[in-house]
């Protein structure tokens, strides 16, 4: 039996915690079990390294290769310490960088994608009786340069390794008990889900739920690896992310309420209502790699045949989006470009809502009852999202959650 166990930054934040993890893993180890561990950098190390780089230059990401040389050191600290902890406890173990573990990526530094994994070394070390500890969040390009996989990328390392090793299980140990029906810090009645599908988890992540890096869920789906998200600090079963439900869990049409406060709204007012205008705006944004989420085009003035284009972007992309849109707006002779940052998005997610319009109505009703105005609505096959004022996001999450998950 081969298992992959990933521990996140808060689980390995101190030497004591690292030792505690080694003890736990050995306590629970089955006689015939081969174990591969994937770990994150200790605590907030990655953020601290980024701050350090900002001491050299305000925008260190423009030196992307060097950023990756820097950021990959975080995980390398953890793998070495964890290997020492096992050895001290009498268990042979070895630490491997992403490259040593055979994780090959493209050369898009700081946002790398795994192209291929040849885990020959991992197998050899396992066969010699060692626990193998792999640095998360990293691989190497064809020239051997270290490449990181985007923030939260250790999840992806773990799931991809589990796939390449044809592991029997992939456990993601974290500081929460699993995937909840809403952020438990906000929604009082939030419950831990026993299971959730890859598609629902991806949609939850896209709409703001931060438990797992979305790419890791895609990897799980690609390789058909069930991902067990559970707590480092308890023995409890967490949430299993898989293709389909296997349990007769009380079936909720809605699997979760997600929210995202890191959004901004951009309105391009008074552009001509003629072919090619939307294309011009959104092609320019796409060229600048800015993802656009909710889009609304409205007729503003029929006599003058002008319209408004309203859409949302991630806060992190706002400056870039604004620069692009200002330029296009001038070319299009738009009346004005308005930016609103005090907006937030609340969403419901569930495969069960396909072809069930009553579900959206219930969401709007719950928001209306709480006196919350909806600015923009957008839908996908398995979600409905509403843009609202950011000051009302907590009330909105609770109102919508109570509607679909009554106490
Ligand atoms: N240490 C990296 C980060 O903070 C990767 C990870 O923890 O998954 O984003
Ligand atoms: Mg994480």
């Amino acid at each position: 039996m081969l298992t992959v166990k990933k521990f996140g930054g808060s689980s390995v934040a101190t030497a004591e915690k690292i030792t505690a993890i080694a003890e736990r893993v050995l306590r629970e180890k089955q006689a015939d079990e081969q174990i591969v561990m994937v770990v994150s950098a200790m605590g907030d190390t990655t953020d601290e390294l980024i701050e350090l780089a900002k001491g050299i230059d305000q925008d260190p990401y423009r030196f992307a290769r060097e950023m990756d040389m820097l950021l990959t050191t975080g995980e390398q600290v953890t793998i070495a310490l964890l290997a020492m902890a096992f050895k001290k406890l009498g268990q042979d173990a070895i630490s491997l960088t992403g490259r040593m573990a055979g994780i090959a990526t493209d050369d898009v530094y700081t946002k790398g994608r795994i192209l291929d994994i040849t885990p020959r070394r991992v197998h050899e070390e396992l066969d010699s009786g060692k626990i193998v500890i792999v640095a998360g969040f990293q691989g190497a390009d064809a020239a051997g340069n270290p490449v990181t996989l985007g923030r939260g990328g250790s999840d992806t390392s773990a799931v991809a390794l589990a796939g390449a090793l044809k592991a029997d299980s992939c456990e993601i140990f974290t500081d929460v008990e699993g995937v909840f029906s809403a952020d438990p810090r906000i929604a009082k009645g939030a419950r831990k889900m026993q299971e959730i599908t890859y598609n629902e988890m991806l949609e939850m992540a896209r709409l703001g739920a931060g438990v797992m890096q979305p790419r890791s869920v895609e990897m799980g789906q690609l390789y058909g690896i069930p991902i067990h998200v559970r707590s480092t600090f308890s023995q409890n079963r967490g949430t299993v992310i898989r293709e389909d439900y296997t349990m007769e869990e009380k079936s909720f049409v809605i699997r979760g309420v997600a929210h995202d406060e890191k959004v901004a709204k951009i309105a391009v007012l008074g552009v001509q209502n003629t072919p090619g205008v939307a294309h011009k705006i959104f092609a320019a944004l796409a060229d600048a790699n800015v993802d656009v989420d909710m889009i609304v085009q409205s007729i503003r003035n029929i006599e003058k045949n002008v319209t408004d284009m309203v859409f949302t972007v991630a806060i992190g992309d706002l400056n870039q989006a604004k620069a692009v849109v200002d330029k296009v707006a001038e070319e299009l002779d738009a009346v004005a470009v308005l930016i609103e940052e005090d907006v937030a998005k609340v969403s419901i997610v569930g495969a069960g809502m396909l072809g069930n319009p009553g579900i959206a109505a219930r969401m709007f009703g719950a928001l209306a009852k709480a006196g919350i105005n909806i600015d923009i609505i957008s839908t996908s096959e398995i979600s409905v999202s509403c843009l609202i004022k950011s000051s009302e996001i907590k009330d909105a999450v609770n109102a919508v959650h109570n509607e679909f998950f009554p106490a």
Side-chain angles (χ1 to χ4, degrees):
M1 186 174 65
L2 198 165
T3 59
V4 173
K5 299 171 190 286
K6 181 254 172 180
F7 288 84
S10 52
S11 307
V12 295
T14 62
E16 291 71 32
K17 286 186 172 174
I18 290 175
T19 297
I21 285 170
E23 286 166 351
R24 174 182 182 162
V25 167
L26 288 182
R27 214 182 313 122
E28 295 175 359
K29 183 178 181 298
Q30 313 283 312
D32 66 337
E33 186 180 2
Q34 295 192 314
I35 299 176
V36 174
M37 301 192 46
V38 174
V39 287
S40 293
M42 294 170 71
D44 298 325
T45 300
T46 306
D47 289 325
E48 288 159 15
L49 291 170
I50 294 169
E51 281 310 308
L52 200 55
K54 285 187 177 160
I56 302 286
D57 186 274
Q58 255 191 25
D59 178 22
Y61 277 95
R62 64 202 179 100
F63 310 121
R65 181 196 177 272
E66 304 311 326
M67 266 320 259
D68 277 354
M69 189 60 84
L70 177 70
L71 296 184
T72 47
T73 64
E75 273 67 16
Q76 284 166 214
V77 171
T78 323
I79 55 173
L81 294 178
L82 183 57
M84 291 179 199
F86 277 116
K87 285 166 175 283
K88 184 171 173 195
L89 293 167
Q91 165 67 52
D92 203 3
I94 187 168
S95 59
L96 300 178
T97 63
R99 185 183 188 196
M100 292 162 85
I103 301 177
T105 66
D106 57 22
D107 57 5
V108 185
Y109 302 118
T110 75
K111 293 180 203 161
R113 275 183 177 267
I114 297 176
L115 298 177
D116 187 36
I117 301 186
T118 4
R120 194 177 37 84
R121 179 82 188 271
V122 177
H123 280 301
E124 282 169 15
E125 302 292 354
L126 286 172
D127 290 343
S128 71
K130 296 188 189 86
I131 287 182
V132 176
I133 304 160
V134 179
F137 181 49
Q138 59 171 263
D141 67 11
N145 298 297
V147 177
T148 63
L149 307 176
R151 296 306 306 270
S154 296
D155 293 338
T156 301
S157 308
V159 178
L161 265 173
L165 292 163
K166 301 198 170 53
D168 297 286
S169 79
C170 180
E171 292 168 291
I172 305 287
F173 290 86
T174 178
D175 51 7
V176 291
E177 290 276 333
V179 180
F180 282 73
S181 54
D183 186 339
R185 289 166 299 188
I186 290 188
K188 276 159 222 88
R191 38 193 110 182
K192 185 174 79 187
M193 311 308 289
Q194 305 230 45
E195 298 185 312
I196 186 166
T197 65
Y198 296 120
N199 284 333
E200 288 168 331
M201 190 65 236
L202 275 173
E203 192 70 353
M204 288 285 283
R206 185 179 76 80
L207 295 169
V211 230
M212 294 281 293
Q213 196 195 41
R215 211 176 284 165
S216 69
V217 182
E218 285 169 6
M219 283 280 177
Q221 188 162 33
L222 188 71
Y223 287 113
I225 299 273
I227 306 168
H228 184 181
V229 182
R230 58 188 307 189
S231 169
T232 305
F233 310 109
S234 82
Q235 312 296 118
N236 301 338
R237 202 190 140 78
T239 304
V240 179
I241 309 169
R242 51 161 40 112
E243 191 62 41
D244 278 309
Y245 295 104
T246 61
M247 285 183 270
E248 291 282 326
E249 193 176 357
K250 182 169 180 258
S251 65
F252 298 102
V253 231
I254 294 307
R255 304 301 299 184
V257 178
H259 73 282
D260 191 353
E261 296 180 71
K262 297 196 182 98
V263 292
K265 180 173 115 178
I266 300 181
V268 187
L269 303 182
V271 288
Q272 287 303 306
N273 191 15
T274 49
V277 169
H279 172 254
K280 201 152 188 197
I281 296 173
F282 296 109
L285 288 164
D287 285 345
N289 270 320
V290 174
D291 275 335
V292 171
D293 187 22
M294 307 168 116
I295 302 179
V296 178
Q297 175 185 325
S298 59
I299 298 283
R300 192 165 77 114
N301 186 327
I302 297 172
E303 275 158 37
K304 289 200 188 123
N305 199 28
V306 293
T307 180
D308 300 337
M309 291 282 181
V310 184
F311 55 92
T312 62
V313 298
I315 275 283
D317 286 341
L318 181 59
N319 285 341
Q320 208 179 356
K322 191 174 179 320
V324 170
V325 170
D326 279 342
K327 191 158 161 274
V328 179
E330 208 177 300
E331 287 164 25
L332 292 173
D333 207 15
V335 173
V337 177
L338 299 183
I339 309 276
E340 269 178 55
E341 290 188 57
D342 57 346
V343 292
K345 190 170 59 180
V346 57
S347 308
I348 52 174
V349 174
M353 66 199 256
L354 242 169
N356 195 341
I359 301 295
R362 275 174 66 191
M363 177 186 195
F364 306 149
L367 290 171
K369 226 166 87 192
I372 294 166
N373 189 50
I374 304 170
D375 192 8
I376 302 182
I377 297 169
S378 67
T379 64
S380 81
E381 279 192 347
I382 61 167
S383 69
V384 180
S385 302
C386 297
L387 195 73
I388 60 169
K389 278 219 279 297
S390 53
S391 57
E392 296 179 327
I393 191 68
K394 290 203 169 87
D395 291 343
V397 170
N398 275 292
V400 174
H401 190 267
N402 289 342
E403 170 67 28
F404 293 101
F405 300 87

